[in-house]
Amino acid sequence: MVDDRSPTSHGRELARQLRDLRKRAGLSIADLAREVGFSPARISGIEAVSPAASPAEVRDIGARYALPDQALTQLLEVAKMAEHKGWWEEYSDLGIGRLIALEVAASQISSYEQSVIPWMFQTEEYARAVIKGILPGISGHVLEERVRARLRRQELLTRDNHPAFSSLVDESALRRPVGGSRVMRDQLRKMVDVTQTVPSITLQVVPLSLGAHPGLDNAFTLLEFESPKPAVVYLETLADALYLDRSLEADKYRDAWKHLQSGALGPESSVRLVADIGTGESAEFRATARYGN
């Protein structure tokens, strides 16, 4: 099986192993730095994946511990994989490289969307309409680049070692006719298809009847990991993207997500509602869709 974890994931694993080796040897960061001829700041950086240790650095550190050939070879393989660039580097100008690297490395992704269909469900036409609507002045070239990147992110749903997805979507996102009624019907149909064919995804709709709630003015994504790395909360605004990794911040959003989940429709009821709206059985959707044509 091909190991398709992200370079970031390999870097964290390498850092953990090197940190464990140092601690088992009873060395401080300053001690190891002195013995291998690195600065203490570089040893700290290696153990914080900032950046990950290079194969040459791994050889120098491995020599200090007199590692057996097999153990050293294994560390070098991890170091080489940590050096590889992820596919998202092709889209570095879009400013989403860090987010995609975190998604690839995550074991659980829990999100709440209040206005749009989440990226993992989006059709090409819906993605194009959403991006164009949010950024009306975007050039055609950049628009298409963003659409390609968004669709490629969806490969994460079916790759090996994929995270589990728990998606909460506000009902208003289902009823907003982005791109027109045909685009929305196709979009809602795809949501149903994805939930039925990708076992790792759980979709729940937050109904309008819930009223005011913690996510009313705040869409967010909570990314959690198997390693000791802390959870990260991702927030996106028109001006910037925020990554919150303090435990108190993550706990606040985790509590908000749980509150929203408790007020959401169950997975089966949610899929039925999406299907009903998509087939036009909702009179409200038929009325709003006329304005989207």
Side-chain angles (χ1 to χ4, degrees), residues 144-202:
E144 294 308 313
E145 188 177 30
R146 284 180 177 268
V147 171
R148 286 195 301 272
R150 185 161 300 185
L151 296 178
R152 191 163 182 183
R153 285 169 72 190
Q154 294 176 359
E155 296 175 7
L156 179 61
L157 303 179
T158 54
R159 71 166 180 80
D160 293 333
N161 304 311
H162 60 266
F165 293 86
S166 294
S167 178
L168 299 177
V169 185
D170 196 271
E171 184 180 349
S172 61
L174 307 177
R175 299 187 182 280
R176 180 170 291 106
V178 173
S181 57
R182 181 187 61 78
V183 170
M184 280 305 299
R185 279 194 294 271
D186 291 344
Q187 175 57 75
L188 296 176
R189 188 177 301 116
K190 180 176 179 179
M191 287 187 78
V192 173
D193 290 343
V194 170
T195 58
Q196 293 176 341
T197 58
V198 182
S200 59
I201 284 186
T202 300

Side-chain angles (χ1 to χ4, degrees), residues 18-29 47 65:
L18 292 175
R19 183 170 55 251
D20 288 348
L21 285 169
R22 176 179 62 77
K23 290 182 176 180
R24 284 200 297 269
L27 297 175
S28 68
I29 287 177
E47 295 188 2
Y65 302 125

Side-chain angles (χ1 to χ4, degrees), residues 59-158:
R59 287 192 188 92
D60 289 342
I61 294 173
R64 161 59 184 81
Y65 302 125
L67 291 177
D69 288 345
Q70 184 176 358
L72 180 58
T73 297
Q74 184 268 335
L75 275 180
L76 289 171
E77 285 300 314
V78 179
K80 290 174 183 176
M81 288 186 285
E83 282 192 323
H84 292 167
K85 291 185 177 181
W87 64 262
W88 50 89
E89 296 293 339
E90 300 174 27
Y91 304 96
S92 58
D93 57 316
L94 302 183
I96 58 173
R98 182 180 178 187
L99 172 61
I100 299 175
L102 289 170
E103 290 172 345
V104 172
S107 59
Q108 172 73 45
I109 299 177
S110 305
S111 65
Y112 167 67
E113 276 292 349
Q114 64 189 134
S115 301
V116 299
I117 304 300
W119 63 268
M120 71 280 294
F121 298 109
Q122 290 182 10
T123 65
E124 180 176 347
E125 288 184 289
Y126 182 91
R128 185 175 290 110
V130 163
I131 296 169
K132 180 68 174 176
I134 294 173
L135 300 169
I138 193 171
S139 69
H141 169 73
V142 175
L143 172 61
E144 294 308 313
E145 188 177 30
R146 284 180 177 268
V147 171
R148 286 195 301 272
R150 185 161 300 185
L151 296 178
R152 191 163 182 183
R153 285 169 72 190
Q154 294 176 359
E155 296 175 7
L156 179 61
L157 303 179
T158 54

Side-chain angles (χ1 to χ4, degrees), residues 34-57:
R34 183 170 55 254
E35 294 192 22
V36 298
F38 295 177
S39 70
R42 181 56 192 137
I43 297 297
S44 294
I46 284 172
E47 295 188 2
V49 205
S50 182
S54 69
E57 290 172 325

Side-chain angles (χ1 to χ4, degrees), residues 267-281:
E268 292 185 4
S269 296
S270 295
V271 173
R272 282 198 299 270
L273 177 61
V274 173
D276 287 348
I277 296 174
T279 55
E281 292 182 20

